[in-house]
Amino acid sequence: MVQELGIGEEFMERNRETDTSYDFLGEMRQRFMRFKRQKYLPEIEKFQALAIAQSPKVMVIGCADSRVCPSYVLGFQPGEAFTIRNVANLVTPVQNGPTETNSALEFAVTTLQVENIIVMGHSNCGGIAALMSHQNHQGQHSSLVERWVMNGKAAKLRTQLASSHLSFDEQCRNCEKESIKDSVMNLISYSWIRDRVKTGEVKIHGCYYNLSDCSLEKWRLSSDKNNNGFHISDREIWS
Amino acid sequence: MGNESYEDAIEALKKLLIEKDELKDVAAAKVKKITAELQTASSSDSKSFDPVERIKEGFVTFKKEKYETNPALYGELAKGQSPKYMVFACSDSRVCPSHVLNFHPGDAFVVRNIANMVPPFDKVKYAGVGAAIEYAVLHLKVENIVVIGHSACGGIKGLMSFPLDGNNSTDFIEDWVKICLPAKSKVLAESESSAFEDQCGRCEREAVNVSLANLLTYPFVREGVVKGTLALKGGYYDFVNGAFELWELQFGISPVHSI
C-alpha cells in the first residue's frame, strides 16, 4: 500500500500544473486516504459488517453549518447516527406537507426504527439570524432562505415578546433555543413519532451547542402520564 | 491536454483507492461473526444503550481533544464560517463526510438527506434544499458543490423497488425518492437484465448525475458555473470495497470555428 501511494505521489506531481479541478482531486484523495488509513483499515471488520446493514439507535437533526457536524461534536462513529442536516435544523409540522426532512424522519422511524431522536441547534446560526432580521412577514419573501427560515416564525415572535430589550445577538441566542423547542414539538405532529414516544419506544432530546464557549445544553421531551401532553425534563449543561 | 491527463489521473486514483483482494478473503469469515454479534447486540443491548451518556462522552472527548487543543481555529470559527465546499451526503449513518473525507469544523457546509438528492428549483416544494444552496452560494460563497452518493443506499434501493405509480405506501418517502426517477429509467433502459443489486449500484451513481443536473436549475448556481466561480462535482463512496470515486460536471464553450 505504501509503495502504491509512493508511485501515485510521483504521478500526481507531474500533473500538478493542469487545471484547478486537479487540486480538488488531490485534496479529496488526501482526505479519503487519511480516513482509510486511520479509521477504515484499522477497523475493517466493523466496516465490512456495517456494509451489510446499518442499525443506528439514534437519529440527529442538525444544522448544515460547517462548524457543527453532529458526528464531530457529539462523537458519533460510522453506524451510530442517522443524520439529517438542513438550514437552522428545522423540523416542520406534518400539516405543512413534504419536506426533505420529513421523508428522512419517516425512513428513520418506521424502517430503521431508531430509538432516539435528537434535535441539535447551535449558537451563531446564520439561518436564525436571517429569521430575526427578516422584516416583511406579509408574504413577499424575496429569497429562498427567508422563505425557509420563516418556518421558525413562532419562535421569533416568542423571542421578541420576551426579550426585545436585549441586543440583537442575545435575541438570536434566545431564538436559536426557542426554535429547537418548536422543532421538537413539530416531531410530535407526526403520528408515527407521537405513538412511539407515548409507548416509550422512541425518546426525543433537544440540545444546544454554544460554539463560543464550547458548552452543550441538553434536555428531554417526556410524555405526561395523565394526559396527552408533553413536558421538558432532565435538563443539563455540560461545559 | 487537460482532458487526457484528467482521465488518466482518475484511472490511477481508482487503482490506488480500490482495496487489495487478499484483505477481502481474510475479513470474510470475521464479517459473518461480527454481523451476528451486531445483530444480537442491537436487540439485547437496547436497554443498556443510554443516548445521553453516549453524547456526553462524545462531547467531552470533542472538547478535550479538539476544541481545547486548537484555540486559534475555534476562536476564528466562533466569529464566522467560510467553507470552500458545500456537500450533499446521504443521511445514512455510515457515510458522514466528516469521517469519510476527514472534514474538520469550518471545512464544509453539509446537507444530509435521503439518498443525497437535489430536487429541481422550486420556490415552494422542498424549499429547504433551495435555501441551503442559496445560502451556500450567495452568502458563504462556496467554490464547489459536491454531491456524494454511496453503496448499499436504502433510498436508492427504495427508488428501484417502489412502483412509483401514484399508489404510495409511505407518507413522504416515495414522493422524495422519485426526484431521481430519471436515473431509474436510464438504468432500467441500459441494464434491464442485470441483477437487482447491480442496477442499484448503477442507479446510486446515476442519481448523483440527476442531482448535479438539478443543481443547474437554480439560477444562482447557473450564474456561478458560467462565471467560473462555482464548480459542481460528483462523488461515490463504496464502503463495500473501501473506495471513493470522483467526477465533475464540465461546462465550457468550445473554440469558435469560422465556417
Side-chain angles (χ1 to χ4, degrees), chain B residues 33-228:
Chain B
K33 180 173 171 260
I34 289 187
T35 310
E37 279 171 6
L38 270 180
Q39 280 163 356
T40 47
S42 38
S43 44
S44 63
D45 279 353
S46 53
K47 285 170 198 158
S48 52
F49 173 78
D50 181 349
V52 173
E53 277 312 304
R54 183 70 195 83
I55 67 174
K56 185 173 188 179
E57 188 194 317
F59 178 70
V60 166
T61 305
F62 158 70
K63 182 160 186 172
K64 198 172 74 170
E65 294 181 4
K66 302 266 163 42
Y67 186 88
E68 285 170 351
T69 57
N70 230 320
L73 169 68
Y74 286 93
E76 281 308 302
L77 290 179
K79 296 179 200 157
Q81 56 167 335
S82 55
K84 260 173 38 187
Y85 304 103
M86 174 182 193
V87 173
F88 279 89
C90 187
S91 293
D92 190 301
S93 63
R94 301 165 286 189
V95 305
C96 178
S98 295
H99 294 129
V100 179
L101 290 178
N102 202 233
F103 284 124
H104 295 280
D107 286 346
F109 186 76
V110 177
V111 167
R112 291 182 69 183
N113 60 39
I114 298 258
N116 41 273
M117 291 188 183
V118 181
F121 175 68
D122 189 314
K123 283 190 180 171
V124 179
K125 200 173 185 193
Y126 299 131
V129 182
I133 302 172
E134 184 187 270
Y135 194 76
V137 174
L138 295 182
H139 297 257
L140 298 178
K141 303 198 194 324
V142 297
E143 296 167 13
N144 295 279
I145 303 182
V146 192
V147 179
I148 305 175
H150 72 96
S151 52
C153 181
I156 296 295
K157 187 172 172 189
L159 167 64
M160 293 300 289
S161 317
F162 289 129
L164 299 174
D165 53 6
N167 297 321
N168 288 353
S169 55
T170 63
D171 290 351
F172 303 110
I173 300 176
E174 281 149 299
D175 265 341
W176 175 256
V177 298
K178 75 170 194 269
I179 288 169
C180 283
L181 201 48
K184 175 178 184 175
S185 309
K186 180 167 197 235
V187 167
L188 290 178
E190 289 175 357
S191 46
E192 222 181 305
S193 50
S194 297
F196 182 70
E197 258 178 34
D198 289 335
Q199 291 178 337
C200 284
R202 275 177 219 257
C203 193
E204 283 153 4
R205 293 166 169 93
E206 283 304 331
V208 170
N209 291 333
V210 171
S211 291
L212 290 174
N214 283 345
L215 276 171
L216 287 172
T217 64
Y218 294 79
F220 35 86
V221 172
R222 251 195 329 267
E223 212 182 291
V225 170
V226 167
K227 274 199 286 191

Side-chain angles (χ1 to χ4, degrees), chain A residues 27 31 33 36 40 45 50 54 64 66-67 69 72 75-76 79-80 83 106 116 144-145 147 192 214, chain B residues 17 30 51 54 63 66 77 81 85 91 93-94 98-99 102 104 106 110 123 134 171-172 239 242:
Chain A
E27 188 184 326
R31 287 177 174 284
M33 291 315 289
K36 191 160 182 184
Y40 186 91
E45 289 138 10
L50 278 177
Q54 58 165 336
S66 65
R67 303 165 289 182
C69 171
Y72 205 90
F76 290 119
E80 288 188 317
T83 305
E106 191 181 0
N116 298 278
L144 295 175
V145 172
R147 218 176 249 284
W192 20 267
C214 199
Chain B
L17 294 176
K30 290 190 181 174
R54 183 70 195 83
K63 182 160 186 172
K66 302 266 163 42
L77 290 179
Q81 56 167 335
Y85 304 103
S91 293
S93 63
R94 301 165 286 189
S98 295
H99 294 129
N102 202 233
H104 295 280
V110 177
K123 283 190 180 171
E134 184 187 270
D171 290 351
F172 303 110
F239 50 62

Side-chain angles (χ1 to χ4, degrees), chain A residues 173-188:
Chain A
R173 296 300 82 76
N174 286 346
C175 189
E176 285 151 1
K177 295 180 192 178
E178 289 298 315
S179 175
I180 299 172
K181 287 185 199 156
D182 283 356
S183 286
V184 162
M185 288 314 291
N186 287 340
L187 284 172
I188 315 279

